C-alpha cells in the first residue's frame, strides 16, 4: 500500500443555485485514520465526500492532503490518489469484473495487459472474489459487486478512500462482508472517510465520528478515547433511518446521554466475533 | 382483363429478370454496396460527433448540432442529394472529376448523420449519470469516460434503431441516380429502372427489390443476434446461492484483531 496521508477539509461552502448544501464543513482525518460521517439525509454528507475528490468543486474553503491544498491539482490525477466507492457500486456493466479493474490500470497507469491483470487478480483475491474475475457485474450479488468496486478503487493504490453509504443498497445479510473488507482496510492503515448509517461500524472502526446536519459538521469526536458525549444539537432531528439504539437514546435525551457515545464494550473482541455491534 | 394476370406479367416475368440479373450482380450490387457502406461509415462517425456535441455543456457545440439535425432531418432526402450533388458539382468536378459518387456519398452521409446522431444521443443519455461519476472517480477525464464507458454502453442500447437507419440508407442510396450516372456507375435501382424503361416490363425493378431485401433482411437479423447476445451477457439473474459463499469470504477477510488495531 502507498504511504497514507492526512486529510483536512476546511470551511467548505457549496451552493447549487439557491440551495445551499455545505455551510462551512470541516473535517480532520489523521494519517491512516478513519472518519465516519453520520447525519440525516440531505445533511450534505455525500456532497462533502465529493468535494474531497473534487467530483464537485466547492465554492470556497480548502481540501488538504498532508497539509497541501489539492484544489489547484489536476482533478483527474487527484482522483487516482483518492479512491471512491459508491452506494450503487457504479461498476461498468458491459465489462467483466476483471476488465472493470484493469481498465484504469491500463489506460491511466499505463500498465501492460499482463501487469494490469496481475494487479487486478491480487485485489480480487483480497476481497475474496478471485473466482468471479470473468463474470459480468450483473451476475454478482450486491455485496459482491460492492467488493469488486472496492477492489477496483484499491487497484490504483490510492492514499485516501472515500465510502459513500457503501452498504446502504445492500440486503442486510450482505452488509457484513463489505464492512469486513472496509474494516480490514482501515486496520491496514488506509486514510478513510466513511459516510454511513452503520452505527456499529462507526463505533468499532472509526477514529473520528463526525455528525453532520444542514451542511455543517456539528460535532466531531475522537471515538475511542473519550466517553464524554458530544453535544449534538441536530441529533433530535436525525434521520429516522438511524435506528441504532445509541442514536435513539441520544435523541431521547436531547443529545446529552452519556451512554450514547460510550465506545462499545470489549474493544478487543474474542476471535470469531470481530466487530461487536455489527448487524 | 384479369387484373392479377397484368400484375403477374408486368412484375413477374422471369425472362426479363434473367436478362437483368448479370448486370445487377456485376454492376448494380457493388455500386449500391459502395454507396451504402461508405455513407454508413461516414454517417455513423458524423452522427457520433453530433451526438456528443448535442449533449455538450458548451453552447457553441450544442447549438450547431441541434440546428444541423433539424435541417438535415427535415429536408426530403431527394432535395438534400440534389442540393449537394448539383450545388457542389463545380467543386466536386475540380476535386474528383466527373464522378457523382463522392458528392452522392457525402449527401447520403449528411442525411444519415442527422438521424444516427439522434439515435446515439438517446442511447448515450440513457446511460445512468452514476456511470460517468464512477469513471471520473477513477481518474478518467470526461472524454476518456465517454469513450471508454458511456458511449459503448449507450450504443449497445440503440443497436436496433441504428440498424433501422442503415436500412433506410441502403434504400436511399438509390436516389443518387438524380445526379446522373454513367452506365458503369448505376446502382441496383437505376439498372432495374433502365431495363423497365427499355422493355416496358417492370420485372427488373422487382428483381432490384429482391436484391435490396437480400441486403436488409440478413443485416437486421445479424444485428438482432448481436443485440441479444450482448443483452444476455449482462442481465442474468443473481444466483441466491452465491451469497452463502460471500458471507464466509467476508468474514475470513476480517482478521480477529481488526477492531483492536486502533491503538494510537
Amino acid at each position: 500500500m502507498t504511504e497514507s496521508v492526512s486529510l483536512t477539509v476546511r470551511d467548505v461552502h457549496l451552493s447549487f443555485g439557491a440551495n445551499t448544501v455545505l455551510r462551512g464543513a470541516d473535517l480532520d482525518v489523521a494519517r491512516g485514520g478513519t472518519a465516519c460521517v453520520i447525519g440525516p439525509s440531505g445533511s450534505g454528507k455525500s456532497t462533502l465526500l465529493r468535494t474531497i475528490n473534487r467530483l464537485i468543486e466547492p465554492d470556497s474553503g480548502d481540501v488538504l492532503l498532508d497539509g497541501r491544498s489539492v484544489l489547484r491539482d489536476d482533478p483527474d490525477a487527484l482522483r487516482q490518489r483518492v479512491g471512491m466507492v459508491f452506494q450503487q457500486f457504479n461498476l461498468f456493466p458491459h465489462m467483466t469484473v476483471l476488465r472493470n479493474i484493469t481498465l484504469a490500470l491500463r489506460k491511466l497507469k499505463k500498465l501492460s495487459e499482463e501487469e494490469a491483470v496481475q494487479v487486478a487478480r491480487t485485489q480480487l483475491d483480497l476481497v475474496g472474489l478471485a473466482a468471479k474475475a470473468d463474470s459480468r457485474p450483473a451476475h454478482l450479488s450486491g455485496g459482491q459487486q460492492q467488493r469488486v468496486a472496492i477492489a477496483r478503487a484499491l487497484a490504483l493504490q490510492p492514499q485516501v478512500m472515500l465510502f459513500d453509504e457503501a452498504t446502504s443498497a445492500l440486503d442486510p445479510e450482505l452488509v457484513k462482508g463489505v464492512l469486513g473488507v472496509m474494516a480490514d482496510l482501515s486496520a491496514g492503515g488506509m486514510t478513510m472517510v466513511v459516510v454511513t448509517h452503520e452505527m456499529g461500524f462507526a463505533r468499532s472502526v472509526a477514529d473520528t465520528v463526525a455528525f453532520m446536519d444542514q451542511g455543517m459538521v456539528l460535532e466531531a469526536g475522537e471515538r475511542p478515547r473519550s466517553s464524554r458525549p458530544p453535544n449534538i444539537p441536530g441529533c433530535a432531528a436525525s434521520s429516522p433511518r438511524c435506528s441504532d439504539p445509541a442514536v435513539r437514546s441520544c435523541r431521547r435525551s436531547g443529545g446529552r446521554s452519556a451512554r450514547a457515545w460510550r465506545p462499545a464494550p470489549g474493544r478487543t473482541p474474542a476471535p470469531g466475533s470481530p466487530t461487536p455491534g455489527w448487524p | 382483363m384479369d387484373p392479377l394476370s397484368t400484375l403477374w406479367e408486368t412484375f413477374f416475368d422471369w425472362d426479363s429478370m434473367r436478362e437483368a440479373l448479370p448486370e445487377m450482380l456485376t454492376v448494380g450490387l457493388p455500386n449500391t454496396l459502395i454507396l451504402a457502406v461508405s455513407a454508413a461509415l461516414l454517417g455513423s462517425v458524423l452522427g457520433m460527433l453530433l451526438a456528443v456535441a448535442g449533449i455538450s455543456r458548451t453552447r457553441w457545440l450544442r447549438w450547431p448540432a441541434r440546428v444541423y439535425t433539424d435541417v438535415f432531418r427535415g429536408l426530403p432526402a431527394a432535395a438534400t442529394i440534389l442540393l449537394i450533388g448539383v450545388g457542389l458539382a463545380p467543386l466536386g468536378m475540380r476535386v474528383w472529376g466527373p464522378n457523382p459518387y463522392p458528392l452522392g456519398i457525402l449527401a447520403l452521409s449528411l442525411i444519415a448523420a442527422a438521424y444516427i446522431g439522434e439515435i446515439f444521443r438517446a442511447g448515450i443519455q440513457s446511460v445512468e449519470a452514476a456511470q460517468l461519476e464512477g469513471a471520473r472517480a477513477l481518474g478518467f477525464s470526461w472524454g476518456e469516460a465517454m469513450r471508454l464507458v458511456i458511449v459503448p454502453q449507450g450504443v449497445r442500447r440503440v443497436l436496433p434503431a441504428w440498424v433501422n437507419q442503415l436500412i433506410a440508407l441502403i434504400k436511399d442510396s438509390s436516389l443518387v441516380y438524380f445526379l446522373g450516372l454513367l452506365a458503369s456507375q448505376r446502382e441496383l435501382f437505376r439498372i432495374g429502372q433502365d431495363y423497365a424503361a427499355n422493355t416496358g416490363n417492370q420485372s427488373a425493378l422487382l428483381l432490384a427489390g429482391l436484391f435490396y431485401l437480400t441486403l436488409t433482411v440478413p443485416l437486421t437479423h445479424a444485428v438482432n443476434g448481436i443485440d441479444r447476445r450482448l443483452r444476455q451477457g449482462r442481465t442474468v439473474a443473481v444466483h441466491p446461492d452465491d451469497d452463502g459463499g460471500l458471507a464466509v469470504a467476508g468474514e475470513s477477510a476480517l482478521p480477529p484483531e481488526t477492531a483492536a488495531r486502533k491503538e494510537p
Side-chain angles (χ1 to χ4, degrees):
Chain A
M1 187 181 294
T2 45
E3 208 169 313
S4 55
V5 297
S6 68
L7 166 70
T8 306
V9 177
R10 194 172 290 156
D11 196 27
V12 165
H13 289 259
L14 179 69
S15 303
F16 298 114
N19 179 19
T20 303
V21 184
L22 296 176
R23 315 163 193 263
D26 296 288
L27 190 66
D28 274 296
V29 190
R31 275 186 197 188
T34 297
C36 280
V37 181
I38 59 173
S41 300
S43 59
K45 306 184 295 290
S46 295
T47 308
L48 176 68
L49 212 57
R50 280 164 175 73
T51 62
I52 296 174
N53 67 351
R54 292 174 63 193
L55 282 177
I56 300 173
E57 298 282 355
D59 293 339
S60 67
D62 209 351
V63 177
L64 306 107
L65 292 183
D66 265 352
R68 212 182 131 266
S69 173
V70 300
L71 293 184
R72 275 176 300 278
D73 290 355
D74 170 34
D76 296 328
L78 170 70
R79 289 184 202 122
Q80 293 182 44
R81 297 170 62 200
V82 182
M84 184 159 184
V85 173
F86 299 88
Q87 185 175 3
Q88 298 294 344
F89 330 131
N90 298 5
L91 293 180
F92 307 139
H94 60 305
M95 299 179 185
T96 64
V97 162
L98 194 70
R99 274 286 187 223
N100 261 277
I101 303 177
T102 57
L103 184 69
L105 293 170
R106 288 182 296 128
K107 303 288 181 184
L108 297 175
K109 296 277 186 181
K110 306 291 180 198
L111 296 190
S112 71
E113 177 75 29
E114 294 77 33
E115 292 168 319
V117 167
Q118 200 186 346
V119 172
R121 290 198 184 279
T122 308
Q123 289 299 337
L124 277 177
D125 210 22
L126 287 176
V127 297
L129 289 174
K132 298 290 182 187
D134 297 319
S135 305
R136 293 290 181 103
H139 296 201
L140 304 185
S141 72
Q144 290 172 329
Q145 290 190 50
Q146 190 59 295
R147 284 187 285 151
V148 171
I150 293 173
R152 181 173 75 174
L154 289 179
L156 295 172
Q157 296 186 301
Q159 296 169 307
V160 178
M161 281 289 286
L162 310 175
F163 292 85
D164 185 20
E165 305 201 18
T167 58
S168 301
L170 301 180
D171 291 337
E173 71 270 22
L174 306 184
V175 167
K176 205 166 160 187
V178 172
L179 290 183
V181 171
M182 289 165 63
D184 237 9
L185 199 57
S186 175
M190 176 67 77
T191 306
M192 306 192 345
V193 182
V194 182
V195 169
T196 188
H197 292 293
E198 299 287 344
M199 296 301 293
F201 179 82
R203 257 203 306 269
S204 54
V205 176
D207 301 290
T208 308
V209 176
F211 183 87
M212 273 193 85
D213 197 14
Q214 299 183 10
M216 283 177 287
V217 175
L218 297 180
E219 182 74 36
E222 286 189 27
R223 187 265 317 162
R225 264 171 262 167
S226 153
S227 59
R228 181 189 63 84
N231 180 24
I232 302 174
C235 187
S238 180
S239 158
R241 288 172 68 190
C242 289
S243 55
D244 185 270
V247 169
R248 278 209 304 273
S249 79
C250 167
R251 208 182 288 165
R252 270 200 305 275
S253 62
R256 287 184 300 279
S257 161
R259 292 187 54 227
W261 289 85
R262 189 172 295 159
R267 283 183 47 227
T268 314
S273 59
T275 42
W278 287 10
Chain B
M1 196 167 97
D2 181 4
L4 276 182
S5 77
T6 306
L7 175 74
W8 189 255
E9 281 161 20
T10 319
F11 284 93
F12 293 88
D13 180 41
W14 306 119
D15 287 335
S16 300
M17 288 196 195
R18 204 171 299 129
E19 198 187 330
L21 184 62
E23 209 167 12
M24 289 261 179
L25 272 174
T26 56
V27 180
L29 184 63
N31 282 338
T32 293
L33 283 175
I34 288 172
L35 288 168
V37 171
S38 323
L41 290 174
L42 187 56
S44 297
V45 171
L46 286 175
M48 181 56 72
L49 294 177
L50 279 173
V52 175
I55 56 172
S56 163
R57 267 166 294 182
T58 313
R59 193 181 317 161
W60 297 113
L61 287 174
R62 203 171 57 234
W63 253 85
R66 294 247 41 95
V67 171
Y68 177 95
T69 304
D70 285 347
V71 169
F72 279 87
R73 228 172 22 162
L75 286 173
T80 309
I81 288 170
L82 277 174
L83 196 74
I84 291 184
V86 177
L88 298 183
L91 181 70
M93 185 67 101
R94 203 170 303 162
V95 183
W96 295 294
N99 184 351
Y101 267 45
L103 287 177
I105 289 170
L106 178 66
L108 288 172
S109 305
L110 294 178
I111 299 164
Y115 290 98
I116 292 176
E118 285 297 273
I119 291 168
F120 284 167
R121 185 169 70 92
I124 290 169
Q125 287 186 318
S126 77
V127 178
E128 301 74 19
Q131 287 287 311
L132 183 62
E133 197 175 40
R136 305 273 347 236
L138 288 170
F140 288 111
S141 68
W142 187 86
E144 289 168 328
M146 289 299 279
R147 189 163 51 82
L148 297 169
V149 176
I150 307 300
V151 168
Q153 291 185 59
V155 169
R156 281 172 202 208
R157 294 182 187 189
V158 293
L159 279 183
W162 180 60
V163 173
N164 263 354
Q165 210 46 55
L166 297 188
I167 287 171
L169 186 56
I170 290 172
K171 295 183 295 179
D172 281 354
S173 68
S174 61
L175 295 174
V176 171
Y177 87 84
F178 289 155
L179 302 181
L181 301 173
L182 299 176
S184 64
Q185 292 170 338
R186 291 175 304 165
E187 35 61 58
L188 287 170
F189 178 77
R190 180 71 209 189
I191 289 175
Q193 207 188 24
D194 282 354
Y195 273 96
N198 291 340
T199 64
N201 187 295
Q202 309 292 321
S203 301
L205 273 177
L206 186 76
L207 181 65
L210 292 176
F211 268 98
Y212 282 107
L213 285 177
T214 58
L215 292 179
T216 55
V217 173
L219 177 67
T220 313
H221 286 278
V223 176
N224 281 352
I226 294 171
D227 186 45
R228 209 174 308 124
R229 214 163 51 83
L230 289 175
R231 274 173 212 285
Q232 281 166 354
R234 59 165 202 250
T235 53
V236 173
V238 173
H239 305 297
D241 314 20
D242 286 359
D243 295 339
L246 173 140
V248 172
E251 273 158 22
S252 67
L254 179 71
E257 65 273 17
T258 295
R261 63 100 201 170
K262 289 287 182 180
E263 300 305 335

